[in-house]
């Protein structure tokens, strides 16, 4: 088999890249190790930045999101029993976020690729990357027991944190920066009415809690737990009483109901530099992980592939590798700002049980400052809603 861009992974990064390349008349093939049913039902992120919403619409895949997603103009921050709304719409000159689950984004992108006769090969195994430092890289894989090979001009490694692509960058070239947090998130999907019109991020002596939503009937909530905690220790009753203790305020009650799914994820920050090796480019979780408090993971994946698409398009228009050779540098500027924001939100909102009483008081004072200062609220809002893509575009134009 032969194509222009071989893409490993049908997550948000791989699918959006393939779709954007198609709109530019560039061919790609996506290799995915899971089934279509699995990728379309895995519960992950829920918040789309304004720029991701705009991208979905401009790329012609935003219709269902605009109909079924929930546009939010702000969030609520809670600490010491006080809850304060952050009017992000007003603070960012009219921008907003969309609550629309990642697996729905996946469904919309898969449908668009298949409708345009794009090729996604599901259920592959033993994916191997070869000759990435040459102009003719190859990907080998097994499909239904048969050995296959995909020859291409470029490989896009969009295969998440555990995929094989990043490992192809030699250790002597690869600089991996990471931070592990002593926090985990217990996430639940529950059959209850919407708890609050907007998301609530709550700092509490017992630990952080996040009240989110999905549909009028099903909601998504998170609790800070120890990352080594066993989910078997968390009965539905224990989850509801802990959520209630952390988020209830006078006159506001958390509706409870049957929990239909629960799991625990650990939290880390991770960046791999550079994100290019020869004709291999890595994007999304393959290159970086953020703790989920800033809701940036999916959005960063979408931002990376826009930069990558620009470089690949420039190559096919003029044969010029210059933009592609600056992919890492341009993408990393946004990535580090998202890392900074996610780290800041995480350390401000979670309860670190190893902290001294001095450190805990400084944390509460930071929340007091952030919720009092218009400058601080504006900074939080512009980062949460997503920094303008123009910043990367301007940098790209200087290349
Ligand atoms: P992925 O979505 O991971 O996609 C990679 C794809 O590559 C997958 O479909 C995988 O099956 C495939 N793949 C992997 N290895 C191979 C291989 N060898 N061969 C072929 N295919 C391969 N972000 C938030 O903002 N909020 C959240 O609440 C949140 N929750 C999360 C919960 C979990 C359990 C995880 C893992 C992530 C969560 N994230 C969250 C992060 C967010 O979902 C990711 O940042 C986003 O999915 C990144 O998209 P991606 O396309 O880069 O990677
Ligand atoms: C959701 C996840 C996040 O990480 C976040 O910061 C906000 C909302 C969610 O899954 O709804």
């Amino acid at each position: 088999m032969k194509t222009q861009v071989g893409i490993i992974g049908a997550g948000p990064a791989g699918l959006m890249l393939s779709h954007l390349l198609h709109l530019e008349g560039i061919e790609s093939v996506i290799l995915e190790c899971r089934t279509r049913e699995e990728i379309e039902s895995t519960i992950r992120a829920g918040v789309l930045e304004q720029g991701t919403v705009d991208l979905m619409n401009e790329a012609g895949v935003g219709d269902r999101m605009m109909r079924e997603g929930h546009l939010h103009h702000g969030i609520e921050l809670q600490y010491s029993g006080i809850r304060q709304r952050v009017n992000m719409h007003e603070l960012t000159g009219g921008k907003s976020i969309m609550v629309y689950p990642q697996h729905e984004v996946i469904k919309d992108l898969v449908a668009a690729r298949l409708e345009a006769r794009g090729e996604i090969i599901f259920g592959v195994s033993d994916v191997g990357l070869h000759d990435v430092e040459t102009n003719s890289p190859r990907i080998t894989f097994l499909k239904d027991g048969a050995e296959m090979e995909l020859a291409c001009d470029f490989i896009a490694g969009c295969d998440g944190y555990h995929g094989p692509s990043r490992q192809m960058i030699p250790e002597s070239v690869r600089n991996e920066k990471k931070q592990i947090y002593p926090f985990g998130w217990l996430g639940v999907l529950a059959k209850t009415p919407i708890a609050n019109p907007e998301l609530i991020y709550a700092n509490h002596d017992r630990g952080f809690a996040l009240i989110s939503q999905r549909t009028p009937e099903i909601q998504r909530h998170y609790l800070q737990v120890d990352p080594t905690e066993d989910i078997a220790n968390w009965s539905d009753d224990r989850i509801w009483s802990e959520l209630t203790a952390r988020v209830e305020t006078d006159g506001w009650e958390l509706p409870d109901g049957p929990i239909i799914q629960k799991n625990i994820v650990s939290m880390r920050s991770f960046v791999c530099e550079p994100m290019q090796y020869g004709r291999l480019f890595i994007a999304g979780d393959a290159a970086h992980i953020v703790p989920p408090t800033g809701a940036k993971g999916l959005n960063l994946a979408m931002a990376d592939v826009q930069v990558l698409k620009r470089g690949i398009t420039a190559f096919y228009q003029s044969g010029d590798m210059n933009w592609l050779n600056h992919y890492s540098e341009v993408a990393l500027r946004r990535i580090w700002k998202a890392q900074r924001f996610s780290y800041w939100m995480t350390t401000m909102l979670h309860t670190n049980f190893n902290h001294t009483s001095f450190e805990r008081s400084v944390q509460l004072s930071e929340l007091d400052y952030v919720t009092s200062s218009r400058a601080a609220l504006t900074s939080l809002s512009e980062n949460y809603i997503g920094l303008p893509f123009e910043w990367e575009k301007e940098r790209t134009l200087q290349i």
Side-chain angles (χ1 to χ4, degrees), residues 3-16:
T3 191
Q4 289 176 299
V5 183
I7 300 176
I8 308 173
L15 287 164
M16 182 55 92

Side-chain angles (χ1 to χ4, degrees), residues 371-387:
T371 51
S372 311
S373 154
R374 189 175 170 90
L377 284 168
T378 305
S379 170
L380 186 153
S381 300
E382 75 169 354
N383 280 279
Y384 189 85
I385 276 196
L387 297 173

Side-chain angles (χ1 to χ4, degrees), residues 47 49 77 107 120-121 150 185 190 199 219 221 242 258 271 290 294 296 327 334 347 359-360 371 373 376:
V47 174
E49 291 179 350
L77 287 180
K107 283 185 203 165
I120 309 174
I121 309 182
L150 178 65
W185 270 21
L199 273 56
Q219 313 314 327
H221 306 322
E242 198 57 45
V271 179
V290 283
K296 288 280 164 264
Y327 162 69
R334 185 183 192 84
T347 49
E359 288 166 315
R360 175 72 177 137
T371 51
S373 154

